[in-house]
Amino acid sequence: MTTAAEVAATVTDPELPFLTLADLGILRDVRETDDGVEVTITPTYSGCPAMGAIETDLRRALHRAGYERARVRTSLAPAWTTDWISDEGKAKLAAAGIAPPGPAPQRRQGPVPLTLGIRDDRVACPRCGAGNTERLAAFGATACRELRRCLSCREPFEHVKEI
């Protein structure tokens, strides 16, 4: 018998269909109760347009597996961070030609100090591994990604930004 958690973990992201919700770390909790199944997800950012599709895909997968009643909750706290992407998810990103994120900036409690300066944006090319790359655009196919180019192999690629 397949558990609801196992089923939910196989649902893929509609924007990056080679990644599961578990790979992305947005699948936070799956509980089976007498009333059905309750799944908790955290969006990659509060305005993520894929959340409706993700919720529909979760309910559809659970229904196909025999779970008649599924409720999907969205939790905004704690906020998602790219550190929640699994190592397997980062490997899948690189295999798809998308540079995975590095460590996310550390968050603090209370006031956030503003630091002005040049951002350290060294990103290795997912195709040749060279670190000599440049940003072409702050946004790629989604707000979570930026468009870059490798100055060694000259290939363009996307990078999942650290959040």
Side-chain angles (χ1 to χ4, degrees), residues 67-109:
Y67 296 94
E68 297 296 324
R69 302 179 78 193
R71 186 174 135 206
V72 179
R73 281 187 20 172
T74 300
S75 176
L76 300 178
W80 180 85
T81 166
T82 48
D83 287 345
W84 292 2
I85 298 175
S86 69
D87 289 341
E88 185 178 345
K90 290 177 182 175
K92 289 178 181 177
L93 283 168
I98 300 174
Q106 296 300 308
R107 295 187 174 125
R108 296 205 238 161
Q109 297 291 329

Side-chain angles (χ1 to χ4, degrees), residues 139-154:
F139 299 100
T142 66
C144 304
R145 296 183 267 172
E146 65 184 6
L147 184 59
R148 300 187 71 87
R149 176 177 50 193
C150 178
L151 298 174
S152 295
C153 71
R154 313 293 293 168

Side-chain angles (χ1 to χ4, degrees), residues 39-89:
V39 179
T40 303
I41 55 178
T42 297
T44 56
Y45 64 99
S46 60
C48 177
M51 292 307 289
I54 290 170
E55 184 176 333
T56 299
D57 291 348
L58 276 167
R59 287 184 185 182
R60 189 174 296 143
L62 289 164
H63 185 76
R64 276 195 309 260
Y67 296 94
E68 297 296 324
R69 302 179 78 193
R71 186 174 135 206
V72 179
R73 281 187 20 172
T74 300
S75 176
L76 300 178
W80 180 85
T81 166
T82 48
D83 287 345
W84 292 2
I85 298 175
S86 69
D87 289 341
E88 185 178 345

